[in-house]
Amino acid sequence: MLEVKKKEKKDVTYKMVRSSEEVNLLIERGNEILGVLGYTEHSRKHAAKVAETAAGLLEDLGYGKHTIELARIAGYMHDIGNSINRNDHAHSGGILAYGILKEMGMDLKDAAVIAGAIGHHDEATGTAVDVVSAALILADKTDVRRNRVRNPIISNFDAHDRVNYAALSSKVRVNREKKVIQMDLVLDDSMCTVMDYFEIFLQRMMMCRRAAEALGMKFKLVANGSKVC
């Protein structure tokens, strides 16, 4: 009787994932599809920014290197489901990520943590279920910036284009002493008021609040120097 060889488990690193032709193809294909549909940029630039922000949050909060690496990988892979369809992209992305990471030889428990984080990052159906998913949510929902807008005609902007275009800068920082994760946002108020931003992104900000709570912190949004929530 033939023996079935088990795939050898190995440390799958962020560097390996970021260099993966398959992962990058899925990210860029998803970005192309979203461009056709009129969505903001979801390229490898967004993926890398989310990866580093998620990792930085956990590092600032004192989590171990392994957990930080899982958050970094989840951040980079979180939007690969857009290559299939924008609808339910979090769920399809989680399934895709689990299969890819399993094939790369990642420990199955780690692959499941990453898949779960990706599967819960969209505000329509998700919420923070652990520290990796919480870091991913905070990193993704706070990546608001002008150069993500792809519509070249300002007069044709929808509400989300207008808010993203109005964002001159957006930073997330951790205050461990006060137990606060704070998003500092600078808006061009000729394009979008602070209340416009909060109205449009209310569900995302509520998701960030729950994610911060999962990390034992409070979430604060400060826009143009004024506390919003």
Side-chain angles (χ1 to χ4, degrees):
M1 184 175 180
L2 293 174
E3 291 185 8
V4 178
K5 290 185 178 180
K6 293 183 178 179
K7 183 176 285 291
E8 183 181 350
K9 297 294 181 284
K10 59 185 178 183
D11 290 333
V12 176
T13 65
Y14 172 62
K15 184 177 180 180
M16 293 167 60
V17 171
R18 191 169 179 176
S19 299
S20 166
E21 181 181 0
E22 181 177 13
V23 172
N24 288 323
L25 182 149
L26 293 173
I27 292 172
E28 291 304 339
R29 178 56 182 156
N31 188 43
E32 289 172 9
I33 290 171
L34 294 188
V36 172
L37 297 175
Y39 285 86
T40 53
E41 169 262 335
H42 285 70
S43 67
R44 282 185 283 173
K45 182 177 180 179
H46 169 65
K49 182 172 174 57
V50 172
E52 294 304 336
T53 301
L57 286 169
L58 295 188
E59 186 174 3
D60 289 345
L61 289 169
Y63 285 91
K65 290 182 178 180
H66 183 70
T67 303
I68 292 169
E69 189 76 343
L70 295 184
R72 189 178 275 115
I73 292 170
Y76 194 72
M77 300 181 77
H78 77 281
D79 271 336
I80 60 176
N82 286 316
S83 63
I84 296 175
N85 197 299
R86 177 62 181 177
N87 290 331
D88 288 330
H89 76 284
H91 304 155
S92 55
I95 294 168
L96 282 171
Y98 184 81
I100 292 169
L101 294 171
K102 179 181 176 182
E103 185 64 26
M104 292 177 74
M106 178 177 276
D107 178 84
L108 296 183
K109 290 182 179 178
D110 288 343
V113 168
I114 292 170
I118 293 171
H120 282 87
H121 86 271
D122 186 67
E123 61 267 25
T125 58
T127 191
V129 293
D130 55 26
V131 299
V132 173
S133 61
L136 170 56
I137 287 167
L138 286 161
D140 182 40
K141 303 313 172 191
T142 57
D143 185 19
V144 184
R145 48 189 163 85
R146 174 167 288 188
N147 59 5
R148 291 192 68 191
V149 177
R150 293 192 276 195
N151 185 345
I153 305 173
I154 293 177
S155 61
N156 290 342
F157 280 0
D158 64 12
H160 287 82
D161 283 341
R162 192 172 71 252
V163 168
N164 276 281
Y165 193 81
L168 301 178
S169 71
S170 173
K171 296 180 181 179
V172 183
R173 54 192 176 93
V174 173
N175 188 323
R176 290 180 69 175
E177 290 184 4
K178 294 184 178 180
K179 291 188 175 296
V180 167
I181 295 174
Q182 181 168 310
M183 178 182 179
D184 292 314
L185 182 66
V186 177
L187 290 172
D188 177 354
D189 55 15
S190 69
M191 290 289 302
C192 167
T193 67
V194 173
M195 289 308 296
D196 287 336
Y197 177 88
F198 195 68
E199 180 182 5
I200 293 167
F201 284 162
L202 174 61
Q203 194 174 4
R204 296 184 186 183
M205 294 301 98
M206 295 294 290
M207 195 181 196
C208 285
R209 188 180 75 175
R210 290 190 290 270
E213 289 171 352
L215 294 168
M217 308 289 280
K218 293 181 180 179
F219 178 75
K220 289 186 179 180
L221 170 62
V222 175
N224 291 355
S226 300
K227 180 182 174 182
V228 181
C229 67

